[in-house]
Amino acid sequence: HAGGIRGTVKDAETGFPLYGITLSTFNVLSDINQSNDTATSDDDGRFTIKRIYPGTCRLVSYFDRQQPRIWVLAEEPLTLEVPEGGDAIVTIRMRRGATVAGRIVDAHNGSSISNARVGLRPYTPPTEFDLPSTVTDNTGSYRMIGVRPGRYVLQYDSAHGYPQGDSTTAAEVSLDYGQTVTVPDIRVSRGLMASGRVVDSNGNGVLG
């Protein structure tokens, strides 16, 4: 018989209940989601996740790119034992995640690059966590909130009229709970462009 998890989500520092925290479970052995449901804490911080296979599972804070999280689990990953036909009862403690901010600019003239994609990847892969990414605004600025503590590489990925990112368009960042880190400007050079005319041995233009 399936079991479940229920409990309360609280601020690890103040002990106050937290509203609107979304959680999900994963199988420890396969990392495949055991449940079709996620659970979101109510006004009193309470949540319930049902229809979980009995045994060991991992509880994680859910990452929604449309509504980025602010809070992360104070202990993550959090491993629980779900009893057959019963519920594991737990108190989930959360802390504010870190914030990473900065700008992507043109290496030649320092102008801002808008709609440039930038993201975080673990310094030592692999990772079992979803990682945030975003695009720059019209000032070339980006901001990622609710990032788990750890050591990351901030990587410029791509932008219109510019080449793909490489090691020269990356920066190492170390993050702690509640910390805001402003990364120095990442400077990106435009890709080289070539133009000309294709001709045959007689100097005539070649179509296609």
Side-chain angles (χ1 to χ4, degrees), residues 41-193:
S41 59
D42 62 17
D43 291 343
D44 297 316
R46 293 175 298 199
F47 73 96
T48 301
I49 305 177
K50 300 180 179 180
R51 299 190 297 276
I52 302 175
Y53 293 115
T56 304
C57 74
R58 179 180 295 124
L59 191 67
V60 299
S61 55
Y62 183 72
F63 184 74
D64 183 351
R65 296 185 186 279
Q66 301 302 316
Q67 187 176 3
R69 63 176 173 232
I70 297 175
W71 301 87
V72 297
L73 289 172
E75 178 187 349
E76 194 160 14
L78 179 60
T79 302
L80 302 171
E81 292 294 330
V82 177
E84 183 175 353
D87 291 339
I89 301 174
V90 63
T91 297
I92 307 296
R93 292 177 171 81
M94 310 288 290
R95 298 185 66 177
R96 289 186 180 273
T99 298
V100 183
R103 294 178 68 235
I104 307 296
V105 301
D106 187 290
H108 176 67
N109 56 27
S111 61
S112 60
I113 303 177
S114 61
N115 293 314
R117 179 155 294 280
V118 61
L120 291 170
R121 59 181 175 83
Y123 187 83
T124 306
T127 181
E128 60 193 30
F129 301 136
D130 290 328
L131 295 169
S133 63
T134 189
V135 295
T136 57
D137 61 19
N138 57 7
T139 68
S141 300
Y142 62 86
R143 184 178 178 86
M144 290 176 278
I145 65 174
V147 183
R148 294 177 176 90
R151 191 179 180 190
Y152 296 92
V153 173
L154 180 92
Q155 178 71 64
Y156 153 80
D157 182 55
S158 61
H160 180 70
Y162 292 84
Q164 293 285 322
D166 56 25
S167 60
T168 66
T169 56
E172 182 182 331
V173 291
S174 295
L175 305 174
D176 201 355
Y177 292 108
Q179 184 183 26
T180 296
V181 173
T182 300
V183 179
D185 290 353
I186 292 180
R187 308 177 71 84
V188 183
S189 298
R190 283 191 177 274
L192 297 176
M193 299 183 65

